[in-house]
Amino acid sequence: MADELIPETPEAAEEAPIKQRKNGLYPGVSDELAENMQSGWADTELRGLEPVAQARHTAARRAALSTRFPGERLVIPAGNLKTRSNDTEYPFRASTEYAYLTGDQTEDGVLVLEPRPEADGGHDATVYLLPRSNRENGEFWLDGQGELWVGRRHSLTEAEQLLGIPAMDVRELPAVLTEATGPVRGVRGHDAGIEAALTDKVTAERDEELRVYLSEARAVKDEFEIGELQKAVDSTVRGFEDVVKILDKAEATSERYIEGTFFLRARVEGNDIGYGSICAAGPHATTLHWVRNDGDVRSGELLLLDAGVETHTLYTADVTRTLPVNGTFTPLQRKIYDAVYESQEAGIAAVRPGAKYRDFHDASQRVLAEKLVEWGLVEGPVERVLELGLQRRWTLHGTGHMLGMDVHDCAAARTEAYVDGTLEPGMCLTVEPGLYFQADDLTVPEEYRGIGVRIEDDVVVTEDGNRNMSAALPRQADDVEAWMAATKRAGQA
């Protein structure tokens, strides 16, 4: 990795302050080099750009936001780069609220909705961005985030064409916000500089109302969003096929081979993975968020793979399959797997418009409680088990969640609008029951211990029921074995 420009010699370092005063640049840069770097560059301005695909949808989202908070200035930042170590940064991912309302993913960007005079109503939207790097003062090659180091960014004019929003220099925004009057709301937690400029103008309660609104606004997806989620799911399906083809290599290495294989698909076809991939083999499958992915992969054990591709527009899939590493379930593995499959079938069947959000969870949990009573692992009757929640020792988690730009989408929504709400067409959610028998659980027979099974699919509510977006991945045990065998053969061909 290249280092930043430094003086070539101690003498140059000593002379640097004099040169800095003379040419207005940085230590260690000669006047001749500075002058040379200011000229001889072609005009690269892009013209006639088409708006991003989601531009018409983001306009409608901003209009709805404007209606909800009339007469108030609304400030939604993208966020800043975060340091990973010393002078290296984590890959940037724009805040969901900002990307949802603009279609932009630029670090340091800020969307401001400025209220019009009361007689006019509504808001004027402006997106504040970093302009092209300045070539006159050397920023583009001497600043660590200059374009010569990290790549070209769009000009403000280009951004306006792409996003359909007037664009201004974000470096001017703190002063604008500091001097602004009237009620203001902002989305917190992404840009400390912007928050500092708003310190005397906002309250936590008012800002939370904005965050909650933007979370609930994402509950029902438009056709663009559903299409992006389907792209994410389709790529995820191919990523699972990739993993099955290399299971023999994973056995010779570790869970990390699986993680890396899926990650390759995510980066080739999408923006990234939507969350840390869970590549849990053997007893690691009983740990819900096993993302260390450093364990052994053994024939005869199960692999619980929970992973999702994130699209270039930041919509993510979230799919889980539990696979026999050698391609064939043992009788006990199949018994537990079949119970989870039956539970998931009941949950998916309960997803339909007008149903309570909790219905699919309740339907899935009932099946699992029945199985646990049938196997003698918990004392019945089933109604008693459900009333006391005794099945949760082995089912552990809720049966699903909303899905979208965040893998756990709409997380800031009010309880009455989410888990106590009603399903509507366009809502997208996961259905993911599981059974987990910990390796040290003395309440179950020894042969159960260390077995974890989860099956998860991404489901969209339709006008007449639901559609399983990830149905291309087999779920029934016989189909899983046949699919694995065929996929491995294809990988060897």
Side-chain angles (χ1 to χ4, degrees):
M1 182 177 183
D3 202 355
E4 293 182 15
L5 186 70
I6 58 175
E8 294 181 2
T9 66
E11 292 76 14
E14 291 176 2
E15 296 175 4
I18 298 174
K19 293 179 177 177
Q20 183 182 27
R21 286 195 296 270
K22 184 176 179 182
N23 61 39
L25 297 175
Y26 291 78
V29 177
S30 70
D31 293 341
E32 290 79 2
L33 177 59
E35 183 177 352
N36 178 275
M37 292 296 288
Q38 289 175 354
S39 61
W41 304 102
D43 175 12
T44 60
E45 183 75 8
L46 304 175
R47 296 170 176 84
L49 296 175
E50 293 294 323
V52 296
Q54 64 267 48
R56 66 186 179 92
H57 299 285
T58 57
R61 296 165 193 166
R62 293 192 300 273
L65 176 61
S66 173
T67 300
R68 174 61 180 81
F69 297 105
E72 303 184 55
R73 182 175 291 102
L74 307 175
V75 182
I76 301 96
N80 315 126
L81 291 170
K82 291 182 172 58
T83 299
R84 182 180 186 275
S85 65
N86 190 27
D87 58 350
T88 63
E89 293 80 26
Y90 286 103
F92 179 74
R93 202 276 195 186
S95 74
T96 292
E97 295 88 351
Y98 174 84
Y100 177 75
L101 292 168
T102 66
D104 182 51
Q105 299 178 37
T106 306
E107 64 263 25
D108 301 324
V110 184
L111 173 68
V112 177
L113 270 63
E114 189 79 22
R116 299 189 190 114
E118 189 172 342
D120 297 333
H123 289 78
D124 291 319
T126 302
V127 61
Y128 288 82
L129 303 165
L130 282 173
R132 296 289 309 278
S133 288
N134 189 315
R135 300 197 180 209
E136 291 298 316
N137 67 8
E139 173 198 349
F140 92 105
W141 67 288
L142 289 168
D143 188 300
Q145 291 300 317
E147 292 184 4
L148 197 65
W149 289 92
V150 299
R152 185 188 190 279
R153 53 183 177 251
H154 287 298
S155 70
L156 298 182
T157 301
E158 292 168 355
E160 290 182 353
Q161 296 176 62
L162 291 167
L163 305 177
I165 313 171
M168 296 183 67
D169 189 335
V170 71
R171 293 171 294 193
E172 301 171 1
L173 182 58
V176 171
L177 295 178
T178 299
E179 297 170 3
T181 59
V184 182
R185 296 178 191 260
V187 175
R188 301 191 182 204
H190 300 296
D191 192 318
I194 295 300
E195 289 181 31
L198 294 173
T199 296
D200 300 327
K201 298 177 171 61
V202 295
T203 67
E205 292 77 14
R206 288 165 54 79
D207 289 353
E208 181 64 10
E209 287 179 0
L210 174 60
R211 189 172 80 102
V212 168
Y213 168 80
L214 289 173
S215 191
E216 294 179 3
R218 302 198 305 274
V220 176
K221 271 60 180 177
D222 57 40
E223 68 271 22
F224 173 83
E225 294 180 287
I226 294 172
E228 289 301 293
L229 282 170
Q230 188 63 64
K231 288 181 187 176
V233 169
D234 292 345
S235 288
T236 299
V237 169
R238 289 188 283 273
F240 275 65
E241 292 172 347
D242 295 340
V243 167
V244 170
K245 291 175 183 177
I246 56 84
L247 279 177
D248 58 334
K249 295 183 176 65
E251 285 189 64
T253 53
S254 76
E255 295 163 339
R256 290 194 176 181
Y257 204 99
I258 294 168
E259 178 184 7
T261 298
F262 186 85
F263 180 71
L264 177 61
R265 178 66 65 174
R267 286 292 285 163
V268 167
E269 295 192 0
N271 176 60
D272 207 328
I273 51 174
Y275 53 95
S277 299
I278 298 169
C279 308
H284 290 163
T286 67
T287 300
L288 292 185
H289 291 161
W290 178 262
V291 292
R292 298 180 202 171
N293 299 334
D294 59 1
D296 294 330
V297 180
R298 303 181 183 89
S299 180
E301 295 186 335
L302 297 177
L303 167 68
L304 190 156
L305 178 59
D306 183 337
V309 173
E310 178 185 76
T311 65
H312 294 292
T313 56
L314 306 186
Y315 289 84
T316 183
D318 181 8
V319 177
T320 306
R321 288 294 183 268
T322 304
L323 310 172
V325 172
N326 63 10
T328 304
F329 292 101
T330 69
L332 179 59
Q333 290 169 351
R334 179 182 282 261
K335 182 176 83 166
I336 297 171
Y337 184 95
D338 286 347
V340 175
Y341 170 75
E342 185 178 332
S343 168
Q344 194 201 27
E345 284 283 273
I348 293 174
V351 175
R352 57 182 179 275
K356 295 294 184 183
Y357 176 84
R358 293 182 185 269
D359 286 353
F360 77 92
H361 170 74
D362 293 341
S364 290
Q365 290 290 296
R366 175 172 290 277
V367 171
L368 295 179
E370 290 171 350
K371 297 298 182 181
L372 292 167
V373 171
E374 176 186 327
W375 299 340
L377 302 183
V378 64
E379 182 181 349
V382 170
E383 294 300 336
R384 167 184 170 274
V385 173
L386 292 170
E387 181 181 355
L388 298 176
L390 301 179
Q391 82 284 359
R392 292 182 61 185
R393 180 182 178 102
W394 302 284
T395 65
L396 298 182
H397 54 81
T399 309
H401 52 80
M402 291 289 190
L403 185 67
M405 297 182 79
D406 289 337
V407 65
H408 295 146
D409 211 28
C410 311
R414 296 165 298 158
T415 299
E416 58 268 31
Y418 189 168
V419 294
D420 286 342
T422 301
L423 295 179
E424 301 177 39
M427 288 183 171
C428 298
L429 56 132
T430 68
V431 181
E432 51 173 314
L435 281 174
Y436 312 91
F437 300 103
Q438 306 302 318
D440 59 352
D441 188 350
L442 301 181
T443 70
V444 299
E446 184 176 359
E447 60 268 24
Y448 283 72
R449 299 173 197 166
I451 295 179
V453 173
R454 179 165 67 252
I455 311 172
E456 177 181 22
D457 284 271
D458 300 343
V459 178
V460 57
V461 182
T462 62
E463 294 290 342
D464 57 356
N466 70 69
R467 177 170 63 84
N468 184 349
M469 292 189 285
S470 46
L473 272 182
R475 293 182 297 127
Q476 198 275 334
D478 286 341
D479 295 338
V480 168
E481 292 180 345
W483 167 73
M484 290 184 69
T487 303
K488 287 180 179 179
R489 285 196 299 271
Q492 296 165 357

